[in-house]
Amino acid sequence: MSSNPSHSPAPLPAGRLRLVILALSLGAFAIGTTEFASMGLLPQIADSLEVSISQAGMPISLYALGVVVGAPLVTIAAVRTPRARLLVLLIGLIGAGNLLSALAPDFTVLAAARFLAGLPHGAYFGVASLVAARLSPVGRRARSVSLVMLGLTIATMLGVPASTALGQSIGWRSAYVIVVVIAAASTVAVWRLVPEPEGTGAAASIRGELRALRRAQVWFGLGIGSIGFGGMFAVYSYIGEIVPGVMGLGERAVPLALFVFGIGMTAGNLLAGRLADRSIYGTIFLGLAGMMLSLAVFALVAHQAIAGMVLLLAIAVTSQLMGPSLQLFLLDASPDAPSLAAALHHSALNIGNSLGAALGAAVLAAGWGLVAPAWTGVVLAVLGLGIAGWSYLVHRRQEARDEPVTASVEVSASS
């Protein structure tokens, strides 16, 4: 798939573009923090609201459901809203959802608040990626998208541990208050710094955006994200059990393992931006193949603590090669209706999150051992690689059909 956009407005000067990306990545940092902070605060939430641990986990699932549902619905509902203005509204809604979470008087309100907080998630990343790509030079689009996504990976490395520690010290509500403050700062930054790209917003239509769902490559991209990306989550979801139970380290080593994983995700995200500007398909294949091998080797050597940590780092790096590359893949797969396709990317990733975690739970419940989730991840990565290969074959056939048409047009023009 070509990395050239179908619409290439004049890019921003480099200094201004850096400020725009910083503003957009700050919103991504807020989202990444709120998405994962709840996981480390389940005991505090359960005690405070007088529910069981399993019930306290329900808001996490409801947040993910909000992302899956909200990505297409919010994008379609706001199809005619100028993109820069929409970003301000979306990050403002994320702040409002977290404020309601912090003030929730009971468990029912908290559950509803988490669902509402998830609704703008996918639309924000989709629109932010579109804006970053449209405002960037042709050869730097993937790099700009990866820098926006960098806010999400840095959140897993810094924002989540910090908010979790604060929540454990002074109360779980403080974790959501932190997100409100970050979201407020991001709202101001986006409002002041992000311009409206050409060719977006008012000219769009609901029917036009829905055309994205008629394109095979959009569905291929969503399949790769939903299934292939699930391989990483099959292991990531159970690090808390794998680190002490397989790697032989104490529970206090779990935050270290999560930190190592966050470093790998950040490094992989940055690497993906550079590689995808050269070849989107190549980066996707490299990410899936690398994740498949890393998961397999991890399953074999995880009982050795140092080797296990190194392989966790490798899994994180290779999995993140797919993030920015798949986002750009979907933007290019539907160039005249990019907003919905880009937003659905995050629906797909959350489906992958749920799928990987659910299959990991199934093999653990079957008594296959704590390394079984890693082998499950291998299978998901192989399936994702198969979908990517099928997509590439379809793409090449389409190119072959288009070449004679292009040649005849050129001949007619020259005559």
Side-chain angles (χ1 to χ4, degrees), residues 131 149 173 308 311 384:
V131 168
M149 300 289 287
R173 298 177 190 275
L311 266 299

Side-chain angles (χ1 to χ4, degrees), residues 234-235 238 241-243 245-247 295-304 360 363-364 367-378:
V235 167
Y238 301 100
E241 289 76 24
I242 291 172
V243 169
V246 178
M247 297 171 65
L295 285 164
V297 177
F298 176 78
L300 296 173
V301 304
H303 59 282
Q304 301 175 15
V363 296
L364 288 174
W368 293 354
L370 285 172
V371 297
W375 291 116
T376 302
V378 171

Side-chain angles (χ1 to χ4, degrees), residues 31 66 70 74 89-91 93-94 115-125:
I31 293 173
V74 173
L89 292 174
L90 291 171
I91 197 64
L93 288 173
I94 289 164
F115 176 76
L116 293 174
L119 289 175
H121 175 131
Y124 177 85
F125 277 113

Side-chain angles (χ1 to χ4, degrees), residues 3-31:
S3 62
N4 294 331
S6 59
H7 179 79
S8 300
L12 291 179
R16 178 72 187 283
L17 180 61
R18 281 194 289 270
L19 291 175
V20 168
I21 290 174
L22 179 62
L24 296 175
S25 63
L26 186 60
F29 182 82
I31 293 173

Side-chain angles (χ1 to χ4, degrees), residues 149-177:
M149 300 289 287
L150 188 63
L152 180 63
T153 58
I154 290 179
T156 65
M157 186 171 62
L158 300 177
V160 174
S163 62
T164 301
L166 186 64
Q168 291 173 339
S169 299
I170 64 174
W172 61 268
R173 298 177 190 275
S174 62
Y176 298 124
V177 172

Side-chain angles (χ1 to χ4, degrees), residues 14-312:
R16 178 72 187 283
L17 180 61
R18 281 194 289 270
L19 291 175
V20 168
I21 290 174
L22 179 62
L24 296 175
S25 63
L26 186 60
F29 182 82
I31 293 173
T33 301
T34 192
E35 182 177 13
F36 297 110
S38 300
M39 298 177 183
L41 296 172
L42 290 185
Q44 288 77 19
I45 294 173
D47 289 342
S48 173
L49 300 179
E50 298 180 346
V51 296
S52 67
I53 288 290
S54 60
Q55 286 177 303
M58 186 183 301
I60 297 174
S61 299
L62 287 172
Y63 182 94
L65 179 62
V67 178
V68 173
V69 172
L73 292 186
V74 173
T75 300
I76 291 298
V79 67
R80 290 186 175 274
T81 305
R83 302 296 90 177
R85 187 186 306 171
L86 178 57
L87 284 169
V88 173
L89 292 174
L90 291 171
I91 197 64
L93 288 173
I94 289 164
N98 281 275
L99 180 60
L100 182 58
S101 300
L103 299 175
D106 54 44
F107 180 75
T108 301
V109 175
L110 176 64
R114 299 315 295 156
F115 176 76
L116 293 174
L119 289 175
H121 175 131
Y124 177 85
F125 277 113
V127 175
S129 298
L130 172 62
V131 168
R134 287 282 175 88
L135 295 177
S136 300
V138 171
R140 293 184 60 90
R141 294 190 311 138
R143 202 170 308 177
S144 293
V145 171
S146 73
L147 290 174
V148 171
M149 300 289 287
L150 188 63
L152 180 63
T153 58
I154 290 179
T156 65
M157 186 171 62
L158 300 177
V160 174
S163 62
T164 301
L166 186 64
Q168 291 173 339
S169 299
I170 64 174
W172 61 268
R173 298 177 190 275
S174 62
Y176 298 124
V177 172
I178 289 178
V179 177
V180 173
V181 174
I182 300 171
S186 177
T187 301
V188 174
V190 172
W191 173 56
R192 295 295 301 272
L193 296 174
V194 179
E196 182 66 24
E198 300 174 19
T200 61
S205 68
I206 293 176
R207 179 176 295 180
E209 287 294 333
L210 288 175
R211 280 201 301 268
L213 300 179
R214 296 160 59 183
R215 293 184 167 91
Q217 291 296 353
V218 169
W219 290 103
F220 279 128
L222 297 179
I224 295 168
S226 298
I227 297 175
F229 212 77
M232 180 270 282
F233 284 109
V235 167
Y236 184 76
S237 302
Y238 301 100
I239 282 183
E241 289 76 24
I242 291 172
V243 169
V246 178
M247 297 171 65
L249 301 173
E251 290 187 355
R252 291 189 177 183
V254 173
L256 174 62
L258 291 172
F259 180 71
V260 168
F261 210 94
I263 291 175
M265 291 175 71
T266 302
N269 187 75
L270 290 171
L271 181 60
R274 294 182 176 274
L275 295 177
D277 274 326
R278 300 179 181 178
S279 172
I280 295 175
Y281 268 117
T283 308
I284 292 172
F285 284 132
L286 180 62
L288 287 165
M291 188 170 65
M292 175 189 69
L293 291 173
S294 299
L295 285 164
V297 177
F298 176 78
L300 296 173
V301 304
H303 59 282
Q304 301 175 15
I306 295 177
M309 283 291 185
V310 171
L311 266 299
L312 283 178

